[in-house]
Amino acid sequence: MADLRLRVVAGIVSAGVALGVAELLAAFFGADLAPMNAIGATVIDHTPDGVREWAISTFGTNDKAVLYICMGLVAVLVAGLAGAIERTTRAAGSAVLAIFGVVAAIVVAARTSAAGALPTIIGVAVGIYALRVLTRRIDAADAATEQAATETRGVTTGFGDKTGKPAPTPASPRAGCTADPARTERAAAKPERRQVLQGLLVVGGLAVVTGVGGRLLGARRHDVSGERAAVELPQPSAPETPIAPGADLRVPGLTPYLTANEDFYRIDTALVVPQVSKDDWSLRIHGLVDREIRLTWADLANRPAVERLVTLACVSNPVGGDLIGNARWLGYRLDELLAEAGPHPDADMVLSHSTDGWTAGTPLSVLTDGRDALLAVGMNGEPLPVVHGYPARLVVPGLYGYVSATKWVTELEITRFDRATAYWTRRGWSALGPIKTGTRIDTPRPRGRIKQGRTTVAGVAWAQHRGIRAVEVQIDNGPWQTARLADEQSIDTWRQWVYDWDATPGPHTLRARSTDATGEVQTAERRDVVPDGATGHPSVTVQVS
Ligand SMILES: Nc1nc2c(c(=O)[nH]1)N[C@H]1C(S)=C(S)[C@@H](COP(=O)(O)O)O[C@H]1N2
Ligand SMILES: [Mo]
């Protein structure tokens, strides 16, 4: 069945060349035109919550790589099948490729424009052509083998193959030897077989060259990391006070007060990180406003910038999880920008849009109540890293990222909650997302083995824009004990805490809870992250010897 294998390979390399050609064309006209990117993005947009949660908790930040691998496997299966059923006289495999091509073209067109489907359509056309050519060669080789077999059995059919070419001369069995029929057949079909292998090699090579070349070229053409490195950030007019030494206790195993950019969690739906040049970027503020305004990167340079410490948190962060980080953000006050546009009195929502179509719905009241909500351009003294929204994003103290922290932001649409629904709200998450009071135990580690005696229990606590008043620790089911808090640098950031524990031998469970500055104690009730953030006390079990 070597034949079937060749057909399967023919299908795979043909689909490969289809995708490769589409990638190459997309490199010139935009990464979102590449069919795999568009299909992946569409899959992400339609993934049910349960699956999304499971993917994030199982694969973490590799969830997108896993999606690509899954799509690749499906593509290989379908393409292999298409190759297996294609014949010169019956283009069933081509039909399969065409159907997938049409679906992919529709998906790309829906995300971009009708013309955006062209790379996909051209790619699929090339792929189908490749499959036709390869299948014709395989059929010819098949016929030649068949004929050689017939001839070795002493029956001459007398006609050539279906293409009308004369039948190949069968190699005569060597004199004096008993002919091995199978071997003779293979020898007979040799030129045809060589043609098949050559064809597979050429098409496969073309698939790799166009695919890899397209990816590299696309990355090179659109990559903004070079221009980012050359960006000069504005000087903040009112720099954030230096971080008080007492805000960062520097306890071994405890999360540092400031999160380095490389260590900052990343959550977004972008399969391909948007590459937005600051020179093409602008922010349009429109909708229910007196004056629509549009700000370019150059316009920002004339405005006063501020620097603020804000702890960002993801609504998908489970109790004890690490989808939270604290950074020094440099940017422009949103209340000032909004005031210039003049929101109408009936407006109550700012729907922020990113270049990749993602949206967040933020209460207008939150953005104008005096808190340090920013259009941020800098993170910890650097331009925003590309994955964190270069050239500009929103940062709003006190709200989960899904309702506020739009990266690659280009539009603030002033609207109403009863008119507009943001990305995650459409998918079952709450329209409002104030951050819930949270606590995490960083040390000792879960299931850790520690020695008896004095042990430092430490972690972080947060209640952004309300502030943390107290953290308490409970050993097993004992009384709640007050932990020592680090200095409060800002009510918009998390606060470290430490508790000295005299550990006694045996297994122990440690729990922690916080009280925010309004006096509300963090609830023990365990709730899942959907629809508006997890609740419950974090706990860590250790073995003391
Ligand atoms: N464009 C865009 N912005 C986005 C998102 C997204 O999917 N797309 N995700 C949001 C969510 S859910 C969170 S928690 C924060 C995370 O920001 P970070 O990746 O910089 O930590 O970004 C927000 N901004
Ligand atoms: Mo999030």
Side-chain angles (χ1 to χ4, degrees), residues 52 265 267 313-316 401-402:
R52 173 188 183 251
Y265 79 95
I267 289 287
C314 183
V315 69
S316 298
Y402 84 106

Side-chain angles (χ1 to χ4, degrees), residues 52 264-270 274 312-316 323 325 329 353-360 379 387-389 393-394 400-409 423-424:
R52 173 188 183 251
F264 210 94
Y265 79 95
R266 173 194 166 195
I267 289 287
D268 53 61
T269 59
L312 222 64
C314 183
V315 69
S316 298
L323 299 178
W329 306 96
H353 298 252
S354 70
T355 50
D356 63 342
W358 189 85
T359 55
M379 182 177 183
V387 291
H388 293 295
R393 73 173 303 168
L394 303 187
Y400 285 122
Y402 84 106
V403 290
S404 68
T406 307
K407 306 192 272 190
W408 314 289
V409 64
Y423 187 93
W424 284 117

Side-chain angles (χ1 to χ4, degrees), residues 116-364:
L118 273 177
T120 304
I121 293 169
I122 294 170
V124 171
V126 172
I128 289 176
Y129 177 74
L131 183 60
R132 296 300 298 158
V133 171
L134 293 175
T135 301
R136 211 174 300 129
R137 291 189 180 185
I138 294 173
D139 283 348
D142 226 8
T145 313
E146 184 62 31
Q147 189 172 32
T150 320
E151 279 168 11
T152 13
R153 267 179 273 150
V155 187
T156 312
T157 56
F159 20 125
D161 69 323
K162 294 189 193 77
T163 55
K165 279 182 266 163
T169 356
S172 49
R174 251 180 292 157
C177 298
T178 327
D180 164 4
R183 200 218 226 137
T184 320
E185 283 167 33
R186 245 177 283 131
K190 228 173 172 184
E192 282 80 2
R193 251 187 95 82
R194 199 180 309 125
Q195 280 220 318
V196 169
L197 295 178
Q198 271 170 358
L200 291 178
L201 222 67
V202 167
V203 177
L206 217 61
V208 171
V209 168
T210 52
V212 174
R215 279 268 139 170
L216 291 180
L217 199 68
R220 164 88 55 94
R221 277 176 64 96
H222 303 289
D223 182 46
V224 291
S225 54
E227 74 160 55
R228 174 186 173 272
V231 164
E232 283 210 27
L233 288 178
Q235 275 302 315
S237 56
E240 175 70 31
T241 43
I243 292 163
D248 201 350
L249 301 173
R250 297 176 191 280
V251 169
L254 171 60
T255 308
Y257 176 72
L258 263 191
T259 312
N261 290 356
E262 310 75 68
D263 300 335
F264 210 94
Y265 79 95
R266 173 194 166 195
I267 289 287
D268 53 61
T269 59
L271 194 50
V272 180
V273 180
Q275 305 284 326
V276 184
S277 166
K278 66 175 174 32
D279 302 319
D280 301 332
W281 176 88
S282 69
L283 180 72
R284 189 161 77 96
I285 306 180
H286 66 107
L288 302 174
V289 292
D290 295 338
R291 298 160 292 278
E292 176 171 329
I293 56 179
R294 187 189 281 272
L295 287 162
T296 64
W297 184 262
D299 295 333
L300 290 181
N302 304 317
R303 308 185 61 91
V306 295
E307 198 165 50
R308 292 290 183 266
L309 292 157
V310 179
T311 299
L312 222 64
C314 183
V315 69
S316 298
N317 196 27
V319 172
D322 55 8
L323 299 178
I324 179 165
N326 185 39
R328 198 196 283 273
W329 306 96
L330 175 75
Y332 305 89
R333 295 193 63 91
L334 281 171
D335 50 7
E336 292 175 3
L337 296 178
L338 290 169
E340 275 171 42
H344 293 171
D346 59 331
D348 63 6
M349 179 210 239
V350 175
L351 187 69
S352 47
H353 298 252
S354 70
T355 50
D356 63 342
W358 189 85
T359 55
T362 314
L364 180 61

